[in-house]
Amino acid sequence: MSVYKIVDILEADYGCEEHPDGPNAILVLEDGTRKEVSEKWIADKGIKEGKYISIREDGSLMKAVRVVAAIIETEDKSGEKRIFATQRGYGEFKDGWEFPGGKIEKGEKPEEAIVREIREELDTVIRVERYIDTIEYDYPEFHLSMDCFLCGIVEGNLVLKEHEAAKWLTKDAIDSVDWLPADITIIDKVRELF
């Protein structure tokens, strides 16, 4: 599966040929690939220039969302490492646990996006220590591409502005929360941080 940025959306001009779901459009992707889709699909999925799609192995398309996640690490007084987890307070995945983060804005590098998102969501300044992995996960309605970074706190107290709850988790407690499906796929790599 591959994730591509949409650089242009063109009207298809094939005369009498038409997509089964209505008028056609052509998505022009960052690598120059062109994919024909219906205008209805574009409208239903909220597809726009600058957004992302995922191309599955069978050639089918799915809306893609690119996000970043911060795996914020600290040590307690005894030297035991802890990882910060947050509980969603809104939306379809309300009450699920995740690593905090958010969407990458136009023109941002993933490392810049995670610093901005944590400042906005948790009123805390972080530094990116290193890239850990990119998680690719298919939810029923969209494909999630999540760049995960190990981060440390520079200043701030992790004030919850959008989340319902938060916990510092030790290696032994990392399975004590109900992780969202995409986040759970990186837990084994997070365990290696301890």
Side-chain angles (χ1 to χ4, degrees):
M1 177 166 323
S2 302
V3 175
Y4 297 94
K5 187 175 191 175
I6 300 166
V7 296
D8 202 1
I9 300 175
L10 308 172
E11 281 188 41
D13 188 17
Y14 297 118
C16 64
E17 293 178 30
E18 195 169 284
H19 197 279
D21 292 331
N24 300 10
I26 297 174
L27 302 178
V28 181
L29 308 180
E30 62 190 325
D31 68 348
T33 301
R34 293 171 177 245
K35 291 289 184 178
E36 186 174 340
V37 296
S38 75
E39 289 179 4
K40 180 181 182 325
W41 185 83
I42 290 173
D44 289 349
K45 301 294 182 189
I47 301 295
K48 298 177 184 168
E49 290 176 14
K51 299 292 183 182
Y52 295 86
I53 62 165
S54 173
I55 302 175
R56 295 178 172 169
E57 289 180 17
D58 67 1
S60 64
L61 304 180
M62 180 178 240
K63 177 182 177 179
V65 178
R66 286 209 55 224
V67 299
V68 288
I71 298 168
I72 302 171
E73 178 184 62
T74 194
E75 287 184 12
D76 64 16
K77 292 179 183 179
S78 69
E80 185 174 26
K81 289 185 179 182
R82 296 178 185 272
I83 300 294
F84 192 70
T86 54
Q87 186 178 32
R88 286 182 71 93
Y90 59 91
E92 178 183 352
F93 302 106
K94 184 181 181 322
D95 298 328
W97 287 82
E98 64 184 350
F99 294 106
K103 291 182 181 173
I104 301 170
E105 293 182 354
K106 188 175 181 178
E108 271 186 325
K109 294 179 183 173
E111 296 86 347
E112 296 167 338
I114 195 59
V115 170
R116 177 188 51 75
E117 283 287 342
I118 299 304
R119 186 179 60 247
E120 290 174 1
E121 290 183 10
L122 298 167
D123 200 24
T124 299
V125 178
I126 60 167
R127 72 179 163 277
V128 174
E129 302 288 343
R130 68 180 171 89
Y131 166 81
I132 296 175
D133 200 1
T134 298
I135 300 303
E136 303 289 347
Y137 189 85
D138 280 343
Y139 283 100
E141 295 298 320
F142 64 95
H143 174 80
L144 183 76
S145 181
M146 180 170 66
D147 294 338
C148 301
F149 297 93
L150 179 64
C151 301
I153 297 173
V154 174
E155 72 178 63
N157 297 314
L158 297 167
V159 177
L160 300 181
K161 292 181 167 184
E162 297 180 16
H163 297 92
E164 198 168 293
K167 291 182 180 184
W168 284 102
L169 300 172
T170 62
K171 183 176 186 176
D172 294 335
I174 203 159
D175 294 318
S176 68
V177 298
D178 187 16
W179 293 103
L180 291 175
D183 291 73
I184 202 164
T185 65
I186 196 163
I187 293 299
D188 286 339
K189 288 197 177 186
V190 171
R191 276 187 230 288
E192 295 172 9
L193 300 172
F194 287 98

